[in-house]
Amino acid sequence: MLFKNLRPLKHKTGRKHFAVLLDPDNLNEASCLNLLSLSETHQVDFFFVGGSLITSQNQTGIIRLIKEHSDIPVILFPSNSLHIDKQADGILLLSLISGRNPEYLIGQHVISAPILKASQLDIYPTGYMLVDTGRQTTASYMSGTTPLPYDKPAIAACTALAGEMLGLQYMYLDGGSGAQQPISAEMIAAVCEAVEAPVIVGGGIDTTAKAKIALDAGADVIVVGNHIEKNPGFLAEVSNLIASYNVALDVHR
Ligand code: 1GP
């Protein structure tokens, strides 16, 4: 499994993975239980839990609910040190390398380090790259950073390469939740070619065609949140698509 027992991860596995983003602000107990049941049925690989701004006090309860009803690993997707929750299995330790705000490059990490050291959480050092997909996102505003230009794959590739040279073990290209358009195939391919690290892609994936474009371009993990909240049936569609890639991989082994 991509995020288990592979630290430090040296090679991509070739296998495609599906992460469902659960935003505590957008879930109640009933909707969460419904997504948990669907995720178990359709073999989702990971839950990412978090958001750029969490206004409810819901995160702890959502993670507790997941742990009570599911064995799918819970990976925190935090926007700051307040979002660390020891009930989870792991955390994307995000360094916002598309931006130039030291608080999100290293500041929050210094605050978090002793808390994480004392926890049992698996730590996944991740180069987080926000991409401008047409309108300002909560993540861009809250972090006070300029996202990568949409049509400049070379900047994204060099950013990822620098992040990997600095020791980051995963790359996350994010257009922001509910993005009007997903990250381009050209940018995903450029980043995948530049680094050995597994590449996570999310933001605005709301059709299987868009998911396929990201996977074909080389994404190792695709993340879907917004559209599954609106249309839980989409979870099964993406899961089936991912399975079709992995079946083909197994056949060719
Ligand atoms: C956002 O990558 C995630 O940080 C997922 O985006 O909610 O648009 O699927 P969506």
Side-chain angles (χ1 to χ4, degrees), residues 21 77 128 172-179 201-205 223-227:
L21 173 63
F77 176 44
Y128 188 47
Y172 190 154
L173 277 169
D174 197 349
S177 200
V201 176
I205 296 176
V223 187
V224 184
N226 203 269
H227 198 59

Side-chain angles (χ1 to χ4, degrees), residues 88-105:
D89 297 288
I91 181 168
L92 297 178
L93 189 61
L94 303 170
S95 187
L96 182 49
I97 58 176
S98 58
R100 298 295 180 267
N101 182 345
E103 191 58 25
Y104 295 100
L105 283 162

Side-chain angles (χ1 to χ4, degrees), residues 5-251:
N5 304 321
L6 285 173
R7 194 163 39 127
L9 187 72
K10 294 197 178 74
H11 305 288
K12 296 176 199 258
T13 63
R15 188 161 285 275
K16 304 293 187 182
H17 298 82
F18 181 20
V20 169
L21 173 63
L22 299 176
D23 182 336
D25 277 359
N26 297 342
L27 291 170
N28 57 34
E29 186 168 333
S31 60
C32 186
L33 285 172
N34 182 38
L35 288 182
L36 295 183
S37 167
L38 286 169
S39 300
E40 285 288 337
T41 303
H42 295 288
Q43 300 180 341
V44 163
D45 294 296
F46 321 105
F47 291 123
F48 286 179
V49 177
S52 306
L53 175 68
I54 301 179
T55 59
S56 65
Q57 304 302 309
N58 225 6
Q59 178 172 286
T60 302
I62 292 292
I63 297 176
R64 190 182 309 124
L65 203 60
I66 301 170
K67 299 313 284 181
E68 284 170 3
H69 293 274
S70 171
D71 290 327
I72 297 169
V74 175
I75 299 180
L76 299 172
F77 176 44
S79 51
N80 62 56
S81 58
L82 293 173
H83 297 160
I84 297 171
D85 190 312
K86 293 175 184 173
Q87 301 175 98
D89 297 288
I91 181 168
L92 297 178
L93 189 61
L94 303 170
S95 187
L96 182 49
I97 58 176
S98 58
R100 298 295 180 267
N101 182 345
E103 191 58 25
Y104 295 100
L105 283 162
I106 184 63
Q108 287 292 317
H109 314 67
V110 174
I111 296 166
S112 305
I115 303 166
L116 295 176
K117 179 83 174 171
S119 79
Q120 301 293 314
L121 292 169
D122 283 331
I123 313 292
Y124 305 113
T126 301
Y128 188 47
M129 289 173 279
L130 292 172
V131 180
D132 184 350
T133 49
R135 65 180 162 84
Q136 189 172 44
T137 61
T138 307
S140 170
Y141 179 80
M142 291 303 294
S143 64
T145 64
T146 305
L148 291 163
Y150 186 83
D151 57 352
K152 301 285 184 190
I155 301 178
C158 292
T159 303
L161 187 57
E164 186 169 71
M165 288 173 170
L166 285 165
L168 297 170
Q169 295 171 14
Y170 302 86
M171 296 296 149
Y172 190 154
L173 277 169
D174 197 349
S177 200
Q180 288 170 323
Q181 56 181 341
I183 311 277
S184 73
E186 291 75 15
M187 184 175 283
I188 296 168
V191 167
C192 290
E193 192 168 327
V195 298
E196 295 294 319
V199 176
I200 305 164
V201 176
I205 296 176
D206 56 7
T207 65
T208 50
K210 291 177 184 173
K212 191 170 184 321
I213 287 169
L215 293 164
D216 286 343
D220 298 282
V221 183
I222 57 169
V223 187
V224 184
N226 203 269
H227 198 59
I228 286 174
E229 289 164 5
K230 292 181 189 149
N231 172 22
F234 187 53
L235 189 153
E237 292 177 34
V238 177
S239 177
N240 290 339
L241 178 68
I242 299 258
S244 71
Y245 282 80
N246 291 335
V247 164
L249 192 76
D250 290 339
V251 165

